Amino acid sequence: MSISPLQRQALAWAARPPGPPAFWYAVGSALRSIGASIDAVGVDVQGDCGTVEKLPIPTTGVKLGGKAPAVAGASFVAPSANLVGAVKLGEGASAWYGSLLKGTVEIGAMSSVSDKAVVVDSVVGKCVNIGAGAIVTGAKLADECSVGMGCKLAKGSSIGKGGALAAGSVLPAGASVPAGQLWGGNPAAKLADLTPDQLTGM
């Protein structure tokens, strides 16, 4: 049921802090000034190691179904990354600019979710690279595999240990890239067996 503009105005008036608005504006301005001074002192103490974010964009961490993201061990979470639900980043893992991790997501140690990549309800192993703009939905990625830029992995798909999916490829629902193989295309198919040197490089 919607409320009328008059009722909305009455609620806003009732929720106002006590005292004149000018007082609270003055308090807010004073606190911001003190905070800026403390921040400046901190930057001076750090010297050349100090980093100043001119336009900080907050990382969005959102609870979903009562479960919140856990990123304590992550090495880097970009300010513009979005983590929604039971997202867990392993030790040294990273979520880069504009990426979205949603639902029940596990990212293994030292794995990287690149710029604007989307990972939904998936399990990602250790030392995995998910390329920029890739979309991973309901998939399982084993340790040390690689997903190229702009790839799409459908629900139930998987990549074995050391497997790779070439840029722009589409892995259909239920399809599986065996360990140590390179797949590509739409729909993705085997292109080659990766050599030991290639696997080491990855």
Side-chain angles (χ1 to χ4, degrees):
M1 186 177 89
S2 62
I3 61 176
S4 69
L6 187 60
Q7 290 172 317
R8 189 174 288 108
Q9 186 177 9
L11 286 173
W13 178 259
R16 78 192 190 287
F23 170 76
W24 293 109
Y25 288 131
V27 169
S29 297
L31 290 175
R32 280 193 297 273
S33 178
I34 292 169
S37 299
I38 293 172
D39 190 47
V41 170
V43 170
D44 287 341
V45 169
Q46 290 179 336
D48 292 340
C49 297
T51 301
V52 179
E53 291 283 349
K54 297 295 183 183
L55 293 172
I57 304 172
T59 299
T60 304
V62 180
K63 283 186 178 180
L64 185 64
K67 297 181 179 179
V71 298
S75 65
F76 177 71
V77 178
S80 56
N82 291 278
L83 313 176
V84 182
V87 176
K88 183 179 179 181
L89 296 183
E91 193 72 28
S94 56
W96 291 82
Y97 297 92
S99 59
L100 170 63
L101 289 74
K102 182 179 178 183
T104 304
V105 175
E106 289 186 26
I107 306 293
M110 301 303 294
S111 291
S112 173
V113 180
S114 299
D115 299 341
K116 296 187 179 179
V118 177
V119 181
V120 179
D121 294 329
S122 299
V123 177
V124 177
K126 299 176 182 178
C127 301
V128 173
N129 180 55
I130 299 175
I135 299 174
V136 180
T137 306
K140 186 173 182 179
L141 309 181
D143 297 348
E144 301 171 11
C145 68
S146 176
V147 176
M149 294 187 299
C151 287
K152 294 181 181 178
L153 283 76
K155 188 174 182 179
S157 61
S158 63
I159 301 178
K161 183 175 181 179
L165 194 60
S169 301
V170 177
L171 194 61
S176 179
V177 176
Q181 290 187 3
L182 170 64
W183 281 35
N186 181 10
K190 181 181 176 182
L191 299 178
D193 289 313
L194 296 169
T195 66
D197 286 343
Q198 289 171 327
L199 291 170
T200 301
M202 287 171 57

